[in-house]
Amino acid sequence: EIVLTQSPGTLSLSPGERGTLSCRASQSISSSYLAWYQQKPGQAPRLLIYGASSRATGIPDRFSGSGSGTDFTLTISRLEPEDFAVYYCQQYGSSPPMYSFGQGTKLEIK
Amino acid sequence: QLQLQESGPGLVKPSETLSLTCTVSGASISSSGYYWDWIRKPPGKGLEWIGSSYYSGTTYYNPSLKSRVTISVDTSKNQFSLKVTSVTAADTAMYYCARSYTVFYTFDIWGQGTMVTVSS
């Protein structure tokens, strides 16, 4: 089973700053199957990034994803007040077919 | 516009069976290329994938839950359902239904979630 480890657990930043969130896999994974989600309190998660670097429909271009192999990054170029939330990375593996999530990074207002 | 809505009891007794239904509106559950999934989030913890079902009946489950979980699709009602047997307090969670897209294997549409508490 592939384990995704996100860091940091909590990131304290101010609006306008750049946010960098990390997701590390316990073994190499296909970047085609690495995604990022945003979850706000009382809401379902929302897909932000798929295929490691492609933005989902309607996602602002201040969100970007990068990485390959075992190390992936979600970058928010200039934080807006509505960006403070919990972020999860997610991967899919085919043997056996299974999805797993990282434990999440909480992005909070400093 | 595709929407998913979970329904079912909010309180289940220990050792009993948790049963939830997800109603799909705005699209056919028989659409090619999409699986129908259940995901949960225990209080204070992260997201856990429970399992997936295709409209044809093909299913995949999280190995950690496989012995207790059944997901099924009812194409006539455009619904899919989740059953978890022999529940304990560890099954207390917000339960989400979601659609997964089999090109990039992501969850692109989610229900709002329903809280299920296991307690006597």
Side-chain angles (χ1 to χ4, degrees):
Chain A
E1 177 187 344
I2 296 175
V3 176
L4 298 178
T5 302
Q6 293 186 239
S7 61
T10 301
L11 183 60
S12 299
L13 295 171
S14 300
E17 290 192 297
R18 180 185 185 89
T20 302
L21 289 67
S22 174
C23 176
R24 177 164 289 178
S26 58
Q27 58 186 274
S28 184
I29 62 174
S30 170
S31 58
S32 295
Y33 303 146
L34 191 285
W36 290 92
Y37 298 82
Q38 176 194 69
Q39 187 175 31
K40 297 180 181 179
Q43 297 184 17
R46 176 175 70 147
L47 176 65
L48 296 176
I49 300 288
Y50 64 92
S53 61
S54 297
R55 278 187 297 278
T57 302
I59 301 304
D61 60 7
R62 64 180 181 274
F63 290 91
S64 63
S66 62
S68 64
T70 60
D71 292 308
F72 298 88
T73 300
L74 174 69
T75 301
I76 310 170
S77 59
R78 284 180 53 87
L79 286 164
E80 298 287 344
E82 62 267 28
D83 298 336
F84 292 91
V86 178
Y87 291 83
Y88 295 94
C89 58
Q90 169 253 307
Q91 71 87 33
Y92 170 81
S94 58
S95 299
M98 181 172 172
Y99 296 87
S100 58
F101 292 90
Q103 82 279 17
T105 289
K106 182 179 181 181
L107 178 57
E108 65 177 23
I109 299 177
K110 187 173 182 179
Chain B
Q1 180 182 0
L2 175 62
Q3 292 185 316
L4 306 180
Q5 179 66 60
E6 305 89 348
S7 59
L11 181 64
V12 181
K13 289 182 168 57
S15 80
E16 295 190 344
T17 296
L18 180 162
S19 297
L20 296 175
T21 297
C22 183
T23 300
V24 180
S25 59
S28 171
I29 203 168
S30 302
S31 299
S32 177
Y34 295 99
Y35 274 70
W36 304 94
D37 296 72
W38 289 95
I39 296 157
R40 69 182 184 181
K41 186 182 181 303
K45 296 186 177 181
L47 298 165
E48 179 180 39
W49 173 71
I50 299 171
S52 295
S53 183
Y54 200 55
Y55 74 91
S56 62
T58 299
T59 54
Y60 301 106
Y61 299 121
N62 188 324
S64 69
L65 297 168
K66 186 174 183 177
S67 64
R68 300 193 295 125
V69 169
T70 303
I71 296 175
S72 58
V73 173
D74 186 336
T75 55
S76 67
K77 295 182 178 179
N78 226 38
Q79 295 177 333
F80 62 107
S81 63
L82 168 70
K83 291 188 187 300
V84 183
T85 61
S86 306
V87 297
T88 69
D91 294 306
T92 294
M94 180 71 77
Y95 284 77
Y96 297 98
C97 59
R99 184 182 78 169
S100 56
Y101 181 41
T102 57
V103 174
F104 291 102
Y105 292 93
T106 55
F107 305 105
D108 60 348
I109 305 293
W110 296 67
Q112 65 184 24
T114 187
M115 185 66 199
V116 177
T117 301
V118 178
S119 174
S120 56

